[in-house]
Structure formats: C-alpha cells, structure tokens
Amino acid sequence: MLVVAILLHPLQLPLVRLLEGYWPVRVSAITAYGVRRQNRHRARLSANTALAGGTAPTPDEVRRAGLAMVALRQTFPSEVALTRPTRLGNALAAAEDRAGRSYGWDAPVAWPRLYPLLGEPVRAMVDNRRDILDATVRLSVTGLLCGLASVLLLAPTGWWVLLSAAPLVIARLAYGTAVAAAIAYGESLRAAFDLHRFELYGALRVELPATRDEERTVNAQLCDFWRQGRDLGQTYVHPAGPGAGPGPGP
C-alpha cells in the first residue's frame, strides 16, 4: 500500500477527477446510471425540505427541513444538469457552483485570482481542507487497488483471501472521509469569497461596487472577461501616490 501510494502521488488530480465521475465516453452507461442514482438521492433530500401545509410545523419538522436544506446545498449543485455520478463529484460540484455565486462570481474562473489575496488564517483553512481531501482520495484509490490485487494473489490460498477485505474496508472508509472533506472544503471556499472578495477589486484597479446588484453586474463582467475575453469597457482606479492616478483602460 505504501509503494502504491507513493506511485499515485503525482497522479493526485486525475485521481480526484476519477472519483468525481469524469469517466470516458465508453462507460457512459455507467455514468448515466450513477447520475440517475444521485438524482434520486437529491429528490429525497428535496422532498425532506418541504414543510407540511395546512398546519403550523412543529420544531422537529422545522429542524428536519433545515438539516435537509443544508445537506442539499452542501452535497449537490444548484442545477440538476450539473449532477455528477458520484457523491464526491456532487460535493465538489456544489462547492464550485455555490462559492461566490450569490455575489455573481463564477468560482472556477475567479478562484485562481482570489487565492493569492487570501489572508493567512483563511488560506491555512483552505489549504488544510484541500490537503485532507487529496490525502483521503489517494488512500481510497490505494486501498481499492491493493484490495483487488490481494484478491488475485490470495485466491489460491483458501480462507486467507478474506484478508483482502482489509484494504477494501480502508478504501470505503477513506472515500466517505473524502466526501466529508469535500463538503468542508466547499465551506472554506464560500468563506474565502465572503471575506476577501472586495480585495480583488483593489488588486484589479476596479472601482468598488456600491450596491449588491452593481456587485453582481461587475463580477459577471469580470468573469466573462477572464473566461471569454470580453471587453470590460471600464476605467482603472489606481491608488493615490506619486505618479499614480486613474487612467483609461479596457
């Protein structure tokens, strides 16, 4: 398991993508089955968020609906079309979809620009949760590969083949931990946008928006510029100082 883990370390990103459900087209039937299964789970969570009509809900019903809503937001993206075939894929899709969304940011586009501006406490939180996610994903794949190899190697030995269950159990436990780590990672991304999004405007020399609607408009324009190269049509706002001053720019 140690040797396999070392060999898999350079493949960290492909391993995460694999467990997210980004699979080849030739296994599209398996992908479609996984998506249907995940959508059924989404539907059950969505049904639990509804309160019974006609009577005042009890505190337990309100609590149940609230917990279901939190779970739905943490484990599934906002649109059914974005559903992935695995639990890990949906937890990370929810993180990408919801981080900064209420402010008009497209998180996968804006995150590489925001990350260098994070304060040390938030950066440490984000890095720690991402490291836990990567480590548990690697442990899950390592356990799975070693478990399958153990089945083949121990098959002729009779009852000794049951030892192969040990790495398979480790793989299953590590996968569940990876899903929990992905949810925690998504929460840290949302916190980063909440606390540091205004620092992007200063770094980009863009005027601070005055209202929430203006903020969403500016953020959507910036994301379109980064994603598609659309002209911003804005004027830069440089900090005051010797030789500094506002100047026209795209």
Side-chain angles (χ1 to χ4, degrees):
M1 290 186 70
L2 177 62
V3 171
V4 172
I6 293 174
L7 293 176
L8 291 178
H9 185 74
L11 303 176
Q12 183 60 54
L13 182 58
L15 292 180
V16 174
R17 302 289 283 180
L18 176 66
L19 294 192
E20 281 187 83
Y22 291 94
W23 301 330
V25 177
R26 58 178 175 270
V27 295
S28 58
I30 299 177
T31 302
Y33 169 76
V35 170
R36 289 195 300 270
R37 187 168 179 269
Q38 291 298 312
N39 277 331
R40 287 196 294 270
H41 181 48
R42 176 204 283 267
R44 288 193 296 270
L45 278 177
S46 181
N48 289 335
T49 63
L51 295 173
T55 58
T58 65
D60 287 341
E61 291 174 338
V62 173
R63 180 176 178 274
R64 174 186 56 78
L67 291 175
M69 177 60 71
V70 171
L72 185 64
R73 290 176 59 84
Q74 289 179 337
T75 57
F76 285 99
S78 58
E79 300 178 13
V80 176
L82 299 176
T83 302
R84 304 302 309 160
T86 67
R87 291 171 58 207
L88 180 63
N90 285 313
L92 288 175
E96 295 176 354
D97 178 52
R98 299 185 188 280
R101 181 185 181 91
S102 59
Y103 307 114
W105 292 112
D106 182 352
V109 176
W111 179 245
R113 283 89 177 173
L114 179 65
Y115 179 80
L117 305 177
L118 298 181
E120 187 57 35
V122 176
R123 183 194 295 267
M125 176 180 64
V126 170
D127 290 346
N128 178 63
R129 293 182 178 184
R130 181 70 204 200
D131 289 343
I132 294 174
L133 170 61
D134 290 341
T136 49
V137 165
R138 190 163 60 250
L139 179 60
S140 180
V141 176
T142 299
L144 177 61
L145 293 178
C146 291
L148 295 177
S150 298
V151 171
L152 296 177
L153 293 173
L154 296 176
T157 65
W159 291 105
W160 287 101
V161 73
L162 296 179
L163 290 176
S164 60
L168 293 176
V169 170
I170 291 175
R172 180 64 183 84
L173 293 176
Y175 182 79
T177 305
V179 174
I183 293 173
Y185 178 63
E187 293 175 348
S188 67
L189 292 184
R190 290 191 288 273
F193 277 95
D194 291 340
L195 299 176
H196 293 280
R197 68 187 190 280
F198 287 115
E199 296 175 23
L200 262 177
Y201 300 117
L204 297 170
R205 302 296 187 261
V206 175
E207 185 177 0
L208 287 171
T211 65
R212 179 64 64 84
D213 290 339
E214 183 180 346
E215 179 184 9
R216 293 193 184 99
T217 300
V218 172
N219 295 344
Q221 291 175 346
L222 286 170
C223 289
D224 287 342
F225 172 68
W226 293 327
R227 189 192 309 107
Q228 303 169 10
R230 292 185 180 179
D231 187 9
L232 290 176
Q234 294 180 340
T235 300
Y236 293 133
V237 179
H238 296 288

